[in-house]
Amino acid sequence: MLITIGRRYGSGGKEIGEKLAQRLDVPCYVADDVGVEEVQTILDWADKGPCVIVGFCADHVLTGRPGLIKVFIHSDMVHRTRRLAKELGVTQEEAEREALSRDRERARVYGVLTKEKWADLAHYDLTVDSGPLGVAGTVELLSQFVALKVMRKRAVGKGEAGCGIRWA
């Protein structure tokens, strides 16, 4: 099981990834500044076994890997700026400027490296708005999603359909 977490700046994705990894008892790696040279690092992390990789290109780098679960964490600007203002010790206006700037940069770099659109929801198995759920609620939701994916994979491997029907 490999879980990648892409996220909007200020949505809590890094903290969520770290806490999810703790809950699943797997390592968590953070790939914030991914460039061409870091692609091998992401592949090396994945080769070590089950893990959570937080970073905006890991989903692309690991596409096609068995057991890959791609997640994107987002939140509205109100939740993001509130979180960032507290974390960074800045005003909400400054936090909003920083969030928009970081998101623009992530979109630019992701596009250059992957030739795809960053935050395109079609690229993910699950997208979650962390604002209303908070960190703990989002971790709970993700751990339940992972458990369901693992159970369905096992059921299909045993000749059962994902809906619980056993095939003869």
Side-chain angles (χ1 to χ4, degrees), residues 82-155:
R82 190 176 304 141
R83 177 184 178 84
L84 287 169
K86 185 177 178 183
E87 280 181 13
L88 303 174
V90 298
T91 67
Q92 290 203 354
E93 293 78 19
E94 292 168 317
E96 182 172 349
R97 280 194 299 277
E98 182 67 13
L100 293 171
S101 173
R102 292 283 188 104
D103 284 349
R104 275 192 301 275
E105 182 62 10
R106 287 179 177 181
R108 185 191 70 74
V109 171
Y110 191 93
V112 167
L113 294 176
T114 69
K115 307 297 185 242
E116 294 178 359
K117 183 179 176 190
W118 178 70
D120 181 347
L121 303 184
H123 293 291
Y124 301 95
D125 299 305
L126 181 68
T127 63
V128 181
D129 182 348
S130 63
L133 296 175
V135 170
T138 303
V139 170
E140 176 64 29
L141 178 88
L142 293 177
S143 59
Q144 294 296 320
F145 182 78
V146 169
L148 181 61
K149 291 277 283 188
V150 169
M151 286 188 308
R152 285 187 177 224
K153 182 178 178 192
R154 287 181 184 156

Side-chain angles (χ1 to χ4, degrees), residues 48-95:
K48 290 179 183 179
C51 63
V52 174
I53 301 175
V54 180
F56 61 91
C57 284
D59 62 308
H60 180 79
V61 171
L62 298 175
T63 294
R65 288 277 185 122
L68 178 62
I69 299 172
K70 298 185 286 185
V71 176
F72 191 81
I73 306 294
H74 59 93
S75 185
D76 63 37
M77 191 57 76
V78 171
H79 284 98
R80 291 166 61 198
T81 56
R82 190 176 304 141
R83 177 184 178 84
L84 287 169
K86 185 177 178 183
E87 280 181 13
L88 303 174
V90 298
T91 67
Q92 290 203 354
E93 293 78 19
E94 292 168 317

Side-chain angles (χ1 to χ4, degrees), residues 18-73:
E18 292 168 342
K19 290 186 184 233
L20 178 63
Q22 287 175 349
R23 183 160 184 171
L24 299 175
D25 195 27
V26 299
C28 180
Y29 306 105
V30 179
D32 272 327
D33 298 314
V34 175
V36 175
E37 60 278 355
E38 284 84 13
V39 169
Q40 187 58 52
T41 301
I42 292 171
L43 293 170
D44 292 344
W45 290 336
D47 287 342
K48 290 179 183 179
C51 63
V52 174
I53 301 175
V54 180
F56 61 91
C57 284
D59 62 308
H60 180 79
V61 171
L62 298 175
T63 294
R65 288 277 185 122
L68 178 62
I69 299 172
K70 298 185 286 185
V71 176
F72 191 81
I73 306 294

